[in-house]
Amino acid sequence: MEKRSVQRVFVLDKNKQPLMPCHSARARELLKKGKAAVFRYHPFTIILKEREGGDTQPIQVKIDPGSKTTGVALVADFKRGKKIIWASVIYHRGHIIKKDLDVRRAVRRFRRNRKTRYRKPRFLNRKRKEGWLPPSLISRAENILTWVKRIRRFSPVTSISMELVRFDTQKLQNPEIKGVEYQRGTLYGYEVKEYLLEKWGRKCAYCGNENVPLEIEHIVPKSKGGSNRVSNLTLACHECNQKKNNQSIDEFLANNPKKLNQIKARAKGPLKDVAAVNITRWYLFNQLKKEKLPIEVGTGGQTKYNRETQGYPKEHWIDATCVGESGYNVQLEPDMQVLEITANGHGMRRMCFVDKYGFPKSYRPKERTYMGYKTGDIVLANVPKGKNKGIHIGRIAIRHRPSFLLNGVGDVHPKYLTLLQKNDGYGYQMS
């Protein structure tokens, strides 16, 4: 089995103040000698029983926000240089929230339109506060803020670095923007290329080839009046680019009208998705300023430049490491184990479940806990007999009777359980 490098373990002193994260071997030694105890399992944190205070080095928490996935990394500034000591990937649930809201909207509209008692429309609850964001977007930002605050409780963070904008939309809309230093700097071309890679799915727009070098191609050639606006740009492999030459897309795809219409429709796609992500990042930036720590910002183009210059593969946590000017020269091992964090939510406010017609069919139990346990808690089960005999660790689903469902095991009596970590709305897995 291939051996992978492990991330460091968070350490707290006896007063629960964060110390420098230590190597996993050092943590095992402290636990074995009884000098420390397990404080939290995810992220794994130990607490020292006797030590109080200690020397620390500067640590920067680096964030690469995304619409579906966010990379988070901790980079320590040691005497021998900057090195990543911990990393995670957060999987958001914005798409699930959007789907649930659509279902709720459909149920409400059906209920209002069917022949039931008349209810006068209400408009007093329609006003939105300043800075309002849709729940699906606010969820992404709040997940990141939650984990920044948790990391600060477990490690001595001294600064924050985040990717503030994925793409420079001004550069996309006005490629002839003035300013030699801006237009011809080291990041020239990275903003547009990175946007096109995501817009066109990282494959050739004409033949669909993937995992090949792609070139920026003008849909309407410049020799025929085409511009450098992003709406006139696409990606093509070298063979298709040479084959198209200076033909217009109508001439090149005259025998394939379906592909022609697809490319034209995709090329006219607005920048609203990019704007939505950028709005979320600005909300996140304004909230992070309340942490009262120095904040460094960068663009997606700069992140890609730092990553490719250092020869690192594309991963979300590696992108987080390479954010900003401080991401240029950072030591990391691409095979390092990473904590995968999945946002599961904290349940729901819905009081009853409805059928496909919108009528109530069942109601949620009033009590969300039973015998001190809650669905989603991480427990240790020491079952002395029966078909599930042995020691098991996993999450439980409570029932309002002394028989809980342990993930991967089955029914377990609560008297055999020991609580390891309460449900915090997230799922964990080491990659």
Side-chain angles (χ1 to χ4, degrees), residues 408-427:
V409 178
D411 293 336
V412 177
H413 196 285
K415 67 182 180 181
Y416 301 135
L417 302 180
T418 301
L419 180 65
L420 299 181
Q421 181 173 311
K422 291 185 177 181
N423 180 22
D424 58 358
Y426 295 93

Side-chain angles (χ1 to χ4, degrees), residues 134-183:
S136 57
L137 294 184
I138 205 72
S139 169
R140 299 177 175 98
E142 291 299 331
N143 286 335
I144 301 172
L145 291 172
T146 295
W147 276 97
V148 169
K149 293 177 181 178
R150 285 187 183 179
I151 292 171
R152 289 197 64 189
R153 292 203 303 266
F154 303 142
S155 63
V157 174
T158 56
S159 62
I160 300 173
S161 177
M162 67 168 292
E163 191 177 279
L164 185 58
V165 289
R166 191 71 181 95
F167 312 103
D168 189 336
T169 53
Q170 185 181 20
K171 178 65 178 175
L172 297 177
Q173 294 286 14
N174 184 15
E176 283 78 26
I177 185 171
K178 302 297 181 182
V180 176
E181 184 175 338
Y182 177 76
Q183 193 173 10

Side-chain angles (χ1 to χ4, degrees), residues 172 196 199-200 206 216-222 225-235 244 249 267-268:
L172 297 177
L196 292 175
K199 181 178 181 179
W200 295 94
Y206 300 118
I216 297 179
E217 201 274 322
H218 290 76
I219 297 175
V220 178
K222 295 188 69 175
S227 68
N228 286 329
R229 291 178 64 89
V230 72
S231 58
N232 189 47
L233 300 178
T234 186
L235 291 175
K244 182 175 180 291
I249 190 173
K268 294 179 180 179

